[in-house]
Amino acid sequence: EPEVTQTPSHQVTQMGQEVILRCVPISNHLYFYWYRQILGQKVEFLVSFYNNEISEKSEIFDDQFSVERPDGSNFTLKIRSTKLEDSAMYFCASRIAATPYNEQFFGPGTRLTVL
Amino acid sequence: GIQVEQSPPDLILQEGANSTLRCNFSDSVNNLQWFHQNPWGQLINLFYIPSGTKQNGRLSATTVATERYSLLYISSSQTTDSGVYFCAVERSGGGADGLTFGKGTHLIIQP
């Protein structure tokens, strides 16, 4: 069964460093998402991406974040200058279409620790 | 934005017991999903259920969209059912909006 994959599973970085989190969505899916979950809290939407551009973004997704689909398979989230509060689990998700509505499929997550 | 409230926040049961988890939401939705977050932090998709009833083994779910709530039933609980259960919704007309998650129900099944 097709699945969303994410790399790395764990990433440790120093404050101020740039990190890139990678995701491979399901191959025929058209909509891509990033979510964040700070330890012990609920999952929060960051950004959605369709047709090579951002569709929606939350207040969390400020100028230090960017997303890119550099090729036909990968979808990346870049954090330019990491802060301690960026420590969280980051989930990638994809869906085949937005209309008709259907489910989003989530990857296993990347646990980011900023020291 | 849309509000999602889950209850109870915590639930401790003995193995073999049945449980009902509730999700209330504040607006019309086109997408509702239930997830189980396992001890490794992975979100396991349990149900995609914007309306109606579905069953998968010991788990079933019902969404009454007109009354803006969904229920997740777990029967004959096992210790492996422990974890956090999240309800997540996507508002109607949202297009590419992301899911809005509730705070979850933390379920502990004791042997």
Side-chain angles (χ1 to χ4, degrees):
Chain A
E1 184 174 325
E3 58 184 18
V4 177
T5 60
Q6 291 185 240
T7 55
S9 55
H10 294 91
Q11 172 109 33
V12 180
T13 190
Q14 294 292 324
M15 190 169 55
Q17 295 297 305
E18 174 184 285
V19 295
I20 297 176
L21 309 183
R22 291 181 167 80
C23 168
V24 179
I26 295 173
S27 63
N28 62 340
H29 285 192
L30 301 178
Y31 286 80
F32 315 115
Y33 304 82
W34 283 102
Y35 293 83
R36 179 184 82 175
Q37 184 184 29
I38 295 171
L39 185 64
Q41 298 186 21
K42 66 178 183 179
V43 179
E44 299 173 290
F45 167 71
L46 291 178
V47 65
S48 61
F49 192 85
Y50 169 71
N51 200 25
N52 280 322
E53 60 183 23
I54 291 174
S55 296
E56 300 284 343
K57 59 182 181 178
S58 72
E59 293 177 352
I60 303 169
F61 193 87
D62 61 21
D63 291 344
Q64 72 158 346
F65 291 96
S66 63
V67 289
E68 190 179 29
R69 189 156 163 83
D71 53 43
S73 59
N74 289 283
F75 179 50
T76 62
L77 174 69
K78 181 192 291 185
I79 309 175
R80 290 191 181 82
S81 178
T82 50
K83 305 171 188 170
L84 295 176
E85 53 265 35
D86 293 327
S87 295
M89 181 77 100
Y90 289 82
F91 294 101
C92 172
S94 70
R95 78 195 313 179
I96 193 165
T99 54
Y101 283 89
N102 48 77
E103 66 187 300
Q104 295 184 24
F105 292 84
F106 279 68
T110 292
R111 189 173 300 280
L112 176 65
T113 301
V114 182
L115 301 176
Chain B
I2 193 167
Q3 305 298 313
V4 181
E5 299 287 337
Q6 290 188 244
S7 59
D10 301 282
L11 187 58
I12 302 174
L13 298 171
Q14 294 297 121
E15 201 167 22
N18 301 329
S19 57
T20 300
L21 281 56
R22 187 177 180 101
C23 172
N24 292 331
F25 43 94
S26 61
D27 206 345
S28 300
V29 299
N30 277 333
N31 181 5
L32 189 146
Q33 295 181 236
W34 281 99
F35 298 89
H36 176 214
Q37 187 162 42
N38 65 21
W40 297 271
Q42 296 176 334
L43 288 172
I44 309 301
N45 196 356
L46 298 176
F47 292 103
Y48 165 68
I49 187 163
S51 64
T53 297
K54 290 187 178 180
Q55 181 156 5
N56 184 3
R58 296 180 296 103
L59 274 60
S60 64
T62 295
T63 298
V64 184
T66 53
E67 298 187 22
R68 300 181 183 170
Y69 73 88
S70 183
L71 302 172
L72 177 69
Y73 305 97
I74 305 174
S75 64
S76 304
S77 300
Q78 301 174 357
T79 55
T80 52
D81 294 330
S82 296
V84 184
Y85 289 80
F86 289 104
C87 167
V89 303
E90 185 174 359
R91 67 181 176 87
S92 297
D97 279 3
L99 291 166
T100 299
F101 282 72
K103 293 183 177 180
T105 292
H106 187 195
L107 177 64
I108 297 173
I109 305 297
Q110 297 177 332

